[in-house]
Amino acid sequence: MTRYDLRCYAAAAVAVLAYSAAAVEFGYGLLVLLGLALAWRISGGRGGSPVPRWAINVLLLGAAVFAGFGLLDGQLDVNDFSRLIGVLLVIKMLDRRGPRDDAQMLALCAFLTVGAVLTSASLLTAGLILVELVLLVPAVLRFQVAAVEHRAFEAARRLGTGTDAGKESRPGLPAVLTFGPEVVSAVKASGRSLLVVAFVLGIIVFLVMPRGLGRSSFGTWGASSAGRVTGFNDEVQLGVGGLISDSPEVVADVQFVDADGRPATGEGEVLYLRGAVLDEYDDGRWVRSQEARERSIEGRIFMPNQPYSITTGRRTGEKLLVTLRAVPRGRSHLFALFRPITVKSDRGQRIIHGREDLQLERVGGAGSVSYEIEVDRFGTDRFVAQNRDLLLDEPRPEELPSFPSDVVGEFARDLLRAEGIEPDAARRAREIDERVVNLFATTLINNYSYTLEVVASTGDPVEWFLTEGRIGHCEYFAAALTALCRSVGIDARVVTGYVATEWNAQTQHYTVRQSNAHAWVEAEVLPGIWKRFDPTPPADFGAIHQPTPTVWSEIRKLIQAVEFAWVTGVVSFDSDTQRSLASLIPGLRDGDRDNAGLMVSPREVARARSERRWTRADALRFLSWAALCSGIVLTFAGVLGLVSRSARVRRLLASFRGRARRGAGFYEGLVSLAAAAGCPRKPGQSPREHALAASDYFGAGRSQALAVADLYYRSVFDPKGLSQTDRARAGELIRELYRLWRPGMRRRMSGEDGS
């Protein structure tokens, strides 16, 4: 196997890995890799195909059927095409018969890489794509050389030139049919220069290009797997048996900072990120009621980094910074702490929030979304402390909350009677309601078991959980507590979302995984005052969401630190970040523009600058400016290097063609001599075939004619060309052929004269 063949197989394998990692379809990726390994085994890792053409056609027909099944849903997406490309790549590996097949194979690798780019922007995908580029670019350049060598080999095989190796595959090429090491070295250098230039240009384009260009050009493409990582449910369906998957996939990165930008939380603190608020129960399902939907406020489309007001409250400056790794196109949930004040996103989108339940949603494009929410964590406590007497004196509404189950109602009333608490809400004091909710939650925590594997319930799922099963996951606990509260006149609702528990001390942020999806309860303990209650047993909660630290968990935190830097620094790089970087460049700072607007003279600005002390911001500006200048210089140097390398390759190829022209001198003598004797060279006839035909025509000079053809081949394909001795011998052979063929030439000329 040649290095070129190895590069082709490696590029194909890494392209498959990149897409399977992006789409999280490792089963499909494993099948395609097994197919590539089988193709390697069948072909021996070399060019050429031992598989008959009819078998290849059958495989192509199967691929077409495979693609047809993928289109049954009536909508094309990037996953359908990428899966088809993976299948075609395996088939093409079995059908490498010439340079055209190699070109198609390399193009399929490039298309599969593009599919990975459009599917995910994770750190693993980016790393595999970078490896793919390092493999693919040199393979494409080496293909240009291999294509010429292949044509030379095919010509030699047809003519029987050289040794028996001419009948084998390309690894047996005679030395005269391959480029010299200087050509291969120049091609490698060109590849390295091209990669450096592409890398530097990519960084510059990434930094300066406007954000959002072409965001809607792909339609649903580029979001094929968006929403796939959203681990919470926007409704709760009870009564279904089965095992709930505990996936470690990261869905969000979260920070909670104070007004000065410092972390306001730390190790051991838990953040409850609200997603869906469910206030209606119907046959085992908790959903959001139509009334709550109708009372939602749908704001206009807000531009990037434009704040949107949700509630009025004390502006504390505390902010929740969230980066969702992947969201679907259209309407989806935003996760926040309770009682958000304002929300600001990195992209233009429509914000929808519930007037009473404060559920947050957004309508916009797919991909990674970063947003910040200002909250007042202690605003409710301050309000209750200041207005407690007024709240307690407020009468209960005439229509009290209820739950459609006599079994659950009797269960709740029995618990209250056992504690000496009045079950009837109309006669029960307001200040007792919070004690009632705590009683129900404590009962569930102490007397019910937690599991991720639940059997299908019989009858009403909440009744089954409270009276028979007594085992379930967090949704059962939350649904049961909500039902108990409503049964005794206390309004309550189920909330689904995530709990942020995995604190990374290196990056000062939380990593939120799909396994951190959770359900809890919000109950109205006073008029208009809602409080969070989590009835899940704390020991089970900790085992799932706060695992015991291990060596592997510490290593994983380091990996997450790198991934967090990737997401926040690259994936979430937006126009606001661009403006921040631009402000570091001298002459582009907003402060200077503000000074100009206040009619401050340039001399005053210059004097103020000269009096300023050298700060960290100045150092950052200097480093950014130096980095930009260095990038421009490196790009210019890389372009010059690439041009010079390309010129060297062109000179080497020109010398290759020049040797052919120099060898054509004596060979044209052979062609002219044979034509004059009555045996002209036919179109498509190779030099050796023509020499054999001419010697057979005259019945003499066979060895001399073949020797001239062989010398011509050497002059074309041997990098060293012909020596002076070889050229003198070629001239002597032409003269000898002239003496041998002259009688035939005379007879032909005499016959023409006689006619």
Side-chain angles (χ1 to χ4, degrees):
M1 177 190 298
T2 64
R3 290 186 178 180
Y4 167 68
D5 293 316
L6 185 60
R7 287 193 186 98
C8 291
Y9 276 91
V14 175
V16 172
L17 285 174
Y19 170 71
S20 60
V24 196
E25 295 182 350
F26 295 106
Y28 169 81
L30 179 60
L31 288 177
V32 176
L33 289 176
L34 289 176
L36 293 176
L38 181 62
W40 178 306
R41 179 69 175 174
I42 292 176
S43 64
R46 300 179 177 183
S49 176
V51 181
R53 177 61 66 182
W54 65 265
I56 297 296
N57 292 334
V58 170
L59 292 174
L60 290 173
L61 179 62
V65 174
F66 173 80
F69 280 112
L71 299 178
L72 290 179
D73 57 0
Q75 183 181 15
L76 294 174
D77 62 21
V78 67
N79 274 344
D80 295 326
F81 281 94
S82 297
R83 295 189 192 103
L84 177 60
I85 288 173
V87 175
L88 293 178
L89 190 58
V90 175
I91 298 174
K92 183 52 62 179
M93 282 293 188
L94 291 170
D95 191 34
R96 290 181 61 204
R97 302 175 188 271
R100 183 179 64 179
D101 298 308
D102 287 352
Q104 294 172 355
M105 181 200 65
L106 294 173
L108 289 174
C109 292
F111 292 149
L112 196 57
T113 304
V114 173
V117 172
L118 293 176
T119 301
S120 173
S122 67
L123 179 61
L124 177 59
T125 303
L128 290 172
I129 290 174
L130 181 60
V131 175
E132 173 67 12
L133 291 177
V134 173
L135 292 172
L136 190 59
V137 171
V140 171
L141 294 176
R142 187 65 178 85
F143 161 76
Q144 306 297 326
V145 177
V148 177
E149 292 180 342
H150 181 87
R151 288 193 291 269
F153 162 71
E154 290 298 327
R157 187 176 63 176
R158 288 195 303 269
L159 300 175
T161 299
T163 66
D164 291 339
K167 299 179 182 180
E168 300 173 0
S169 56
R170 274 172 290 180
L173 275 175
V176 297
L177 300 181
T178 59
F179 285 107
E182 63 271 20
V183 174
V184 177
S185 176
V187 170
K188 290 181 179 179
S190 298
R192 289 191 292 267
S193 300
L194 182 62
L195 286 173
V196 171
V197 171
F199 181 73
V200 176
L201 285 178
I203 293 177
I204 294 176
V205 170
F206 173 78
L207 292 175
V208 303
M209 282 293 291
R211 301 293 102 179
L213 289 181
R215 176 170 287 168
S216 60
S217 301
F218 289 101
T220 57
W221 288 57
S224 57
S225 61
R228 160 182 49 76
V229 296
T230 305
F232 90 109
N233 296 317
D234 58 3
E235 65 177 40
V236 170
Q237 176 66 64
L238 304 175
V240 180
L243 177 65
I244 298 179
S245 175
D246 186 14
S247 172
E249 184 175 357
V250 178
V251 297
D253 302 286
V254 177
Q255 291 178 291
F256 189 63
V257 299
D258 59 19
D260 297 326
R262 295 188 298 267
T265 56
E267 189 76 35
E269 297 187 55
V270 179
L271 299 181
Y272 282 79
L273 306 178
R274 305 169 79 246
V277 182
L278 315 176
D279 58 350
E280 183 175 280
Y281 182 78
D282 182 21
D283 193 22
R285 293 174 62 242
W286 282 97
V287 298
R288 195 181 189 205
S289 64
Q290 185 63 33
E291 180 182 359
R293 296 177 187 273
E294 292 175 353
R295 292 179 63 83
S296 295
I297 300 175
E298 185 170 345
R300 58 183 175 83
I301 297 178
F302 281 76
M303 299 303 293
N305 301 298
Q306 181 181 1
Y308 172 76
S309 296
I310 301 173
T311 61
T312 58
R314 180 179 175 182
R315 304 298 295 271
T316 63
E318 290 186 330
K319 296 178 181 178
L320 183 74
L321 311 178
V322 181
T323 297
L324 299 178
R325 298 287 183 93
V327 296
R329 185 179 302 277
R331 189 164 178 165
S332 60
H333 288 267
L334 295 178
F335 301 93
L337 300 176
F338 189 49
R339 297 209 63 82
I341 299 175
T342 62
V343 60
K344 183 171 64 174
S345 178
D346 66 337
R347 60 169 63 181
Q349 53 194 340
R350 190 185 304 276
I351 302 297
I352 304 172
H353 78 275
R355 188 187 302 271
E356 295 180 356
D357 60 15
L358 301 180
Q359 174 178 300
L360 284 179
E361 296 177 278
R362 41 83 66 181
V363 179
S368 173
V369 173
S370 296
Y371 59 93
E372 64 179 47
I373 295 180
E374 186 174 358
V375 297
D376 184 7
R377 287 189 294 173
F378 309 109
T380 300
D381 296 337
R382 288 195 304 270
F383 180 81
V384 171
Q386 297 170 2
N387 303 276
R388 185 174 182 81
D389 293 338
L390 294 176
L391 294 173
L392 292 175
D393 292 339
E394 184 174 335
R396 294 184 186 270
E398 295 183 2
E399 185 177 353
L400 294 173
S402 62
F403 187 77
S405 171
D406 294 336
V407 174
V408 175
E410 189 61 30
F411 187 93
R413 288 188 288 272
D414 288 344
L415 288 176
L416 294 184
R417 293 190 191 102
E419 294 294 326
I421 300 175
E422 172 60 49
D424 188 354
R427 294 183 296 178
R428 188 175 61 242
R430 280 275 194 177
E431 62 265 25
I432 304 298
D433 285 356
E434 184 172 353
R435 179 185 169 190
V436 170
V437 181
N438 281 320
L439 172 63
F440 291 153
T442 303
T443 300
L444 294 175
I445 290 173
N446 294 333
N447 299 284
Y448 290 77
S449 302
Y450 187 93
T451 181
L452 291 177
E453 186 172 4
V454 181
V455 297
S457 62
T458 57
D460 184 84
V462 176
E463 295 179 1
W464 172 86
F465 174 73
L466 288 173
T467 61
E468 297 181 32
R470 307 179 70 88
I471 187 172
H473 47 72
C474 61
E475 292 179 349
Y476 278 90
F477 283 86
L481 178 57
T482 304
L484 292 172
C485 291
R486 290 191 167 197
S487 297
V488 294
I490 300 174
D491 201 3
R493 57 203 183 197
V494 177
V495 180
T496 61
Y498 291 103
V499 286
T501 61
E502 189 175 334
W503 174 257
N504 192 317
Q506 284 79 21
T507 57
Q508 303 289 295
H509 88 287
Y510 291 94
T511 298
V512 181
R513 303 180 182 277
Q514 190 170 348
S515 58
N516 293 131
H518 193 51
W520 58 93
V521 176
E522 289 176 353
E524 189 179 23
V525 296
L526 289 171
I529 304 301
W530 293 80
K531 186 174 180 180
R532 183 186 71 246
F533 297 88
D534 191 348
T536 300
D540 297 304
F541 179 91
I544 295 174
H545 301 292
Q546 295 174 311
T548 304
T550 61
V551 176
W552 167 243
S553 66
E554 295 302 318
I555 296 176
R556 190 170 64 175
K557 285 184 179 180
L558 293 176
I559 297 175
Q560 290 165 2
V562 178
E563 195 166 344
F564 177 72
W566 165 259
V567 172
T568 56
V570 178
V571 178
S572 302
F573 187 89
D574 56 9
S575 55
D576 190 49
T577 311
Q578 279 184 322
R579 286 191 292 271
S580 298
L581 290 178
S583 67
L584 300 177
I585 302 176
L588 294 179
R589 285 175 291 183
D590 293 335
D592 292 346
R593 288 191 288 269
D594 294 340
N595 289 337
L598 294 173
M599 302 301 293
V600 179
S601 67
R603 179 176 299 177
E604 291 174 329
V605 173
R607 184 175 63 254
R609 284 184 177 178
S610 64
E611 294 175 354
R612 254 184 341 118
R613 298 178 61 185
W614 183 264
T615 63
R616 180 180 298 180
D618 296 318
L620 289 175
R621 295 187 188 99
F622 174 78
L623 292 176
S624 301
W625 183 252
L628 181 61
C629 294
S630 301
I632 296 174
V633 172
L634 286 175
T635 301
F636 184 71
V639 170
L640 289 180
L642 181 60
V643 170
S644 64
R645 295 295 185 183
S646 301
R648 183 183 175 191
V649 173
R650 288 196 299 271
R651 287 196 302 270
L652 290 170
L653 294 178
S655 66
F656 187 82
R657 292 188 293 268
R659 293 196 298 269
R661 288 193 295 269
R662 290 194 299 270
F666 64 84
Y667 178 68
E668 288 300 327
L670 173 63
V671 174
S672 301
L673 188 61
C679 185
R681 183 181 178 184
K682 299 177 182 179
Q685 195 174 32
S686 67
R688 192 172 180 82
E689 290 172 341
H690 179 239
L692 288 171
S695 59
D696 291 341
Y697 181 82
F698 293 108
R702 181 184 181 91
S703 61
Q704 292 86 346
L706 290 177
V708 172
D710 290 342
L711 286 172
Y712 173 72
Y713 280 126
R714 285 184 54 194
S715 68
V716 173
F717 295 108
D718 191 345
K720 298 180 180 179
L722 295 180
S723 63
Q724 292 296 332
T725 303
D726 292 332
R727 293 185 178 280
R729 182 168 177 268
E732 182 62 32
L733 289 171
I734 293 295
R735 289 190 291 271
E736 187 174 348
L737 285 173
Y738 177 75
R739 290 193 298 270
L740 292 172
W741 292 351
R742 185 168 55 179
M745 295 170 58
R746 288 178 176 177
R747 287 194 300 270
R748 182 172 181 274
M749 294 176 64
S750 298
E752 291 177 353
D753 292 341
S755 63

